[in-house]
Amino acid sequence: MNGKAQPEEWLAFLSEIEMEGRLLQASFSSPRRKDEETSRKLTVRPIKLKTGIFYQFERQINNKVFHDNVAPDKLKQQLQETMEQYKQALFKTPDADVQILANKKGALSLISRTKETKREAVPQAHNRSKTYVLPDGEPVPFLIELGVMTPEGRVMKAKYDKFRQINRFLEMVSDVIADLPRGRKLTIVDFGCGKSYLTFALYHLLAIKEQLPVRIIGLDLKQDVIETCSRLAAQLKWNDLTFSVGDISNYEGHDSVDMVVTLHACDTATDAALLKAIGWNASVILSVPCCQHELFKQISQPVLKPLLKHGILKERFTALVTDAIRANLLELAGYRTQLLEFIDLEHTPKNILIRAVKGTKSDLEDIKREYEQFRDFLSVSPFMEIKWE
């Protein structure tokens, strides 16, 4: 079915999936209003609770995920109200995918129905097992070579935390693949790649799974580590994954880079990597800062003396301030920036990932004013801002 959607046609479709339990999944995108209370994307799926089948509405706002479980007899009303907040939606049913679009006035303008092979609606358990980008039980050559998996594909018990970290990283990358350029070979630089678990994972995701034309360069100061990584890349025959010895601030290998990754670069090395990324006009930046000492001796604010007089609290506060400054400076450089939890705090206190995607905001003057007030209140002169100027 293609063409203009009449209101009664839309309502009939909702009645059909409500009464017959035909909804497998619904995805709403492109909010009609862009505000802090509206999620960029909202998904709906059936779940099985102790009291029966419900439909879970999942939305993410300011890096927090919210769930609302709706009873089957309330599904039609909730879907109708949700559609009023978004410009488009995709409904998956057992025999078709149905796309719904709304025009600028909010009226439904199109319903396209694509027939699919018969699919069965199977509600998922509420506390379902985690689905990984790289599943446990499926052999992955680079994970086997790195000692994370057995040849049969089972994750080694001692490496399960590393396995979870790799998958968490790949989830964060997957969310921004659509923001990378198309139509040419992508260039990615990983500063401070170390043993390169995540560098190999990144290449596997983009070049092997997504089949994107990509070259990745891993950079580290340790000669022995680089030699080991280079041997593994050659063994896997991944010719577009290379490793070099070098320093972040002095690296001049490329005039243009599409993605910059910097994981656990110490102190201002993270800032140097972010400045490189800005200079390259990179489309995507992923950074997990490590130790942050630069501002510890600078921060001065009498109002905060009850906090700052305790060394351990001052250290933690300084780390948060440093990452807040980095995020705001990235926004001023034209990036949409998020601070995300990388891995659980129980594994490491260095668990914040800065994810930045190129795309200028319209309120840069407000961001600049807020940032300057914040900086001046704490009497700091951040390395990243000084070097940027």
Side-chain angles (χ1 to χ4, degrees), residues 169-185:
F169 176 69
L170 293 183
E171 288 173 5
M172 293 178 168
V173 175
S174 297
D175 289 341
V176 294
I177 287 177
D179 295 291
L180 291 170
R182 291 293 188 271
R184 59 176 173 80
K185 199 165 195 174

Side-chain angles (χ1 to χ4, degrees), residues 176-222:
V176 294
I177 287 177
D179 295 291
L180 291 170
R182 291 293 188 271
R184 59 176 173 80
K185 199 165 195 174
L186 301 172
T187 299
I188 298 172
V189 175
D190 183 354
F191 284 123
C193 60
K195 294 182 179 179
S196 300
Y197 288 92
L198 301 182
T199 321
F200 281 99
L202 183 61
Y203 188 89
H204 177 85
L205 174 65
L206 298 178
I208 308 302
K209 292 195 70 173
E210 297 293 333
Q211 294 290 299
L212 293 175
V214 59
R215 69 169 66 86
I216 299 180
I217 302 96
L219 190 73
D220 201 273
L221 291 172
K222 299 178 180 178

